[in-house]
Amino acid sequence: MRTQVAIIGAGPAGLLLSHLLHLNGIESVVLESRSRADIESTIRAGVLEQGSMDILDEAGIGERMRKQGALHHGFELAFGGGRHRIDLLELTGKAIAVYPQHEVIIDLVAARVAAGAQPLFETSEVALHDIDGARPAVSFMHQGEAGRIEADFVIGCDGYHGVSRPMIPQGVREEFQRVYPFGWFGILVESAPSSNELIYAQHERGFALVSTRSPTVQRLYFQCDPKDKVENWSDDRIWNELHARLEHKDGWKLNEGRIFQKGIIGMRSFVCAPMRHGCLFLAGDAAHIVPPTGAKGMNLAISDVKLLSRALSAFYRSGHQGLLERYSEEALKRVWRAEYFSWWMTRLLHTFADATPFERRMQQAELENLVASRAMRTALAENYVGAF
Ligand code: FAD
Ligand code: DHB
C-alpha cells in the first residue's frame, strides 16, 4: 500500500491533520491502536481556545461545537476566601469554548468516514522504517494480517507513550521534563452546573477546578497525590474535599449529584526537540506535554497540525520545502510559551507540600497582585485564550 502521508494516532492531532490534508487534496492513512468506540468515549480535555474553534470552523467541522459547546467570556479565580473574575472578552476581545475532546474526536472521525477515509482502528505492532532514508514506511498488524504502508512522510501523532518519538536518534533528540509532585482527581457529575463560568481555586488543602460538560453534567477536579487510588475516594470524601476547597462565606454552593466517572491524572511538563527527523514529523502530545492547569494540551495539538498541514500543502503544491524545514522551530516557539504559561498557572494555583512559609506568602501576594493589576490580568487572559 502507498500513500502520501502516513499518520500514527487518531487523537485530535492525527485526525485533524488527516482532515486538513484531505481538504488540500493530499491523501493520508491514519493508524490507531484503539477501537473507534474507545477513542470516542475517553474523557480528556475540555477547553478550546478561540483559535482552535476557528480552525475547526474553517475545516467545516465546527457545527456541533457551535451548537453544543458553551462559549465562555471569562473565568473566576478563587483564593483567600474571595472570588475574582477574569474578563477574557473585555481584556482580549476573545473567548473560549467548553467542548469536550471526545466530541471533537466524534466530529473528526465522522468527517473522515464521510470522505471515505476511515482510520485503521485496532492496529498493533506499529513500526516505522527508513525515516531518514529514501523509502519511509510503516508496518503494522490489522485484523490478523500484516500490513505495510509506504509514504512520503510519516507523522507521529501517537501521544506521549507512542512509538514515533523514540525513532528520533538519542544523539539528535533533546528532552526537557518536569514531573509535578501532585495529580488531578477528575469526576463527572450528574447535576446542573454550579457556576456559569469555570472556577480555578487556590486553597491550602490544594487546587480545585469547577468546569462543565453540558447543562446536566459538571466536570470537577481537585489536586491529589498522583500515587493515590480512585478506590480510596468515596463519594462522601470527594464532596467533603470539594466543599472545603471551593466554598467560602459568600454563600456560593457547589451542586452535588451522582458521580458517574472518577480518574486520576499525573502532571508533567515535557518537550522533545526537534519535532522533526528526516521524513518523520511529531505533533501534539507525542512531542510535548503540559500540566492541564492552563487548558493547553488539545489546543497545542491543534496548532501543531495547522502549521504542519500548511507546510505539507506548500510542499505538494509547489515542491517548496521551506515551511517543512521551519516546522520544528516554528511549532516549538509556541510550545515553549504554552509550557511557560501552564507551568506558571500550575505553580500559582497548587499547594506544594515542601513550600516554605515565605514561599506560601509569595504565592498569596502574586495572586493579590494579579487581580489588582489590569496589566497582569491582561497577560493572564491573553495566554489563556491563546491571543498571540
Ligand atoms: P492523543 O489524544 O494522546 O492521541 C494519540 C493517539 O495515538 C491515541 O488515540 C492513541 O491510542 C494512539 N496511539 C498511541 N500509540 C500508538 C501506536 N503505537 N500505534 C497506533 N496508535 C497509537 N488536557 C487538557 O488541556 N485538560 C485536561 O483535562 C486533560 N485531561 C487529560 C486526561 C488524560 C487521561 C490525558 C492522557 C490527557 C489529558 N489532557 C488534558 C491532554 C490532552 O487530552 C492532550 O493534550 C491531547 O489529547 C493531545 O492530542 P494528541 O492527538 O496529540 O494525542
Ligand atoms: C477542563 C480541563 C482543564 O485542564 C482546564 O484547565 C479547564 C477545564 C475541563 O476538562 O473542563
Side-chain angles (χ1 to χ4, degrees):
M1 197 161 145
R2 195 181 156 82
T3 188
Q4 289 174 300
V5 181
I7 299 173
I8 305 172
L15 289 168
L16 180 60
L17 178 63
S18 178
H19 184 64
L20 294 174
L21 292 177
H22 163 74
L23 295 177
N24 282 285
I26 300 164
E27 197 186 89
S28 65
V29 174
V30 178
L31 302 173
E32 167 58 49
S33 53
R34 295 187 294 150
S35 68
R36 178 174 178 178
D38 197 7
I39 64 164
E40 289 187 342
S41 61
T42 304
I43 305 298
R44 285 198 173 179
V47 171
L48 286 171
E49 294 172 357
Q50 179 110 45
S52 301
M53 285 189 264
D54 295 345
I55 292 170
L56 297 179
D57 261 341
E58 284 160 23
I61 43 158
E63 196 184 327
R64 269 189 351 116
M65 170 191 75
R66 290 279 164 206
K67 278 197 196 126
Q68 293 175 27
L71 211 57
H72 288 228
H73 293 156
F75 66 82
E76 293 196 348
L77 274 181
F79 64 92
R83 289 196 286 149
H84 309 265
R85 183 161 190 265
I86 304 297
D87 191 331
L88 299 173
L89 192 63
E90 198 249 333
L91 292 165
T92 68
K94 296 191 172 181
I96 55 117
V98 176
Y99 186 60
Q101 180 167 328
H102 69 273
E103 300 289 352
V104 175
I105 295 285
I106 290 170
D107 297 341
L108 283 165
V109 173
R112 297 286 57 230
V113 170
Q118 165 148 317
L120 295 182
F121 292 109
E122 298 177 72
T123 51
S124 59
E125 296 175 40
V126 171
L128 284 64
H129 307 277
D130 205 20
I131 54 158
D132 43 12
R135 300 191 60 180
V138 182
S139 62
F140 57 91
M141 291 295 294
H142 184 241
Q143 295 176 342
E145 287 187 19
R148 186 178 174 94
I149 299 176
E150 297 202 345
D152 302 330
F153 300 99
V154 178
I155 317 295
C157 298
D158 46 352
Y160 182 68
H161 300 287
V163 292
S164 303
R165 190 178 63 251
M167 295 302 293
I168 302 182
Q170 262 179 353
V172 175
R173 172 165 43 107
E174 203 173 352
E175 296 190 344
F176 305 83
Q177 169 154 262
R178 164 146 201 201
V179 178
Y180 297 88
F182 39 72
W184 278 13
F185 199 110
I187 58 171
L188 283 169
V189 181
E190 221 172 66
S191 74
S194 306
S195 164
N196 291 332
E197 295 186 334
L198 270 58
I199 304 174
Y200 287 83
Q202 185 273 336
H203 191 277
E204 61 194 9
R205 296 179 70 96
F207 170 77
L209 170 60
V210 177
S211 181
T212 66
R213 281 294 176 266
S214 73
T216 54
V217 175
Q218 291 195 91
R219 178 76 165 143
L220 305 171
Y221 298 97
F222 58 93
Q223 178 182 345
C224 67
D225 180 340
K227 293 190 219 76
D228 210 340
K229 297 264 176 295
V230 164
E231 305 79 74
N232 293 336
W233 286 85
S234 67
D235 292 5
D236 273 353
R237 185 174 172 217
I238 290 173
W239 289 120
N240 285 340
E241 199 55 46
L242 285 167
H243 286 300
R245 295 185 191 189
L246 286 160
E247 288 173 1
H248 307 295
K249 295 184 198 80
D250 64 3
W252 178 85
K253 283 260 172 290
L254 179 66
N255 290 345
E256 289 193 17
R258 185 176 72 84
I259 299 174
F260 62 94
Q261 208 253 355
K262 297 180 187 177
I264 293 177
I265 52 171
M267 287 171 61
R268 74 175 69 228
S269 298
F270 172 84
V271 178
C272 163
M275 288 169 62
R276 175 208 181 159
H277 182 71
C279 296
L280 170 67
F281 291 75
L282 302 179
D285 278 16
H288 41 73
I289 297 285
V290 287
T293 327
K296 291 281 168 237
M298 178 167 44
N299 295 293
L300 275 181
I302 291 174
S303 62
D304 280 355
V305 299
K306 170 85 181 177
L307 266 184
L308 196 48
S309 72
R310 249 194 238 148
L312 288 165
S313 302
F315 172 76
Y316 281 111
R317 226 181 9 251
S318 60
H320 287 318
Q321 302 236 14
L323 291 180
L324 285 174
E325 269 153 23
R326 288 205 298 283
Y327 166 71
S328 176
E329 194 188 329
E330 286 295 310
L332 282 167
K333 260 191 230 163
R334 188 183 159 103
V335 166
W336 277 117
R337 295 182 70 180
E339 289 284 344
Y340 168 74
F341 175 66
S342 307
W343 166 84
W344 174 80
M345 277 276 272
T346 301
R347 192 180 51 106
L348 181 72
L349 294 170
H350 289 74
T351 298
F352 287 78
D354 63 352
T356 62
F358 179 79
E359 285 164 339
R360 286 175 204 272
R361 292 298 171 104
M362 290 299 99
Q363 189 179 17
Q364 291 306 309
E366 190 168 6
L367 283 160
E368 296 288 356
N369 267 346
L370 183 59
V371 297
S373 154
R374 183 184 169 89
M376 287 181 72
R377 287 200 309 279
T378 305
L380 164 61
E382 283 173 348
N383 277 281
Y384 192 80
V385 301
F388 49 72

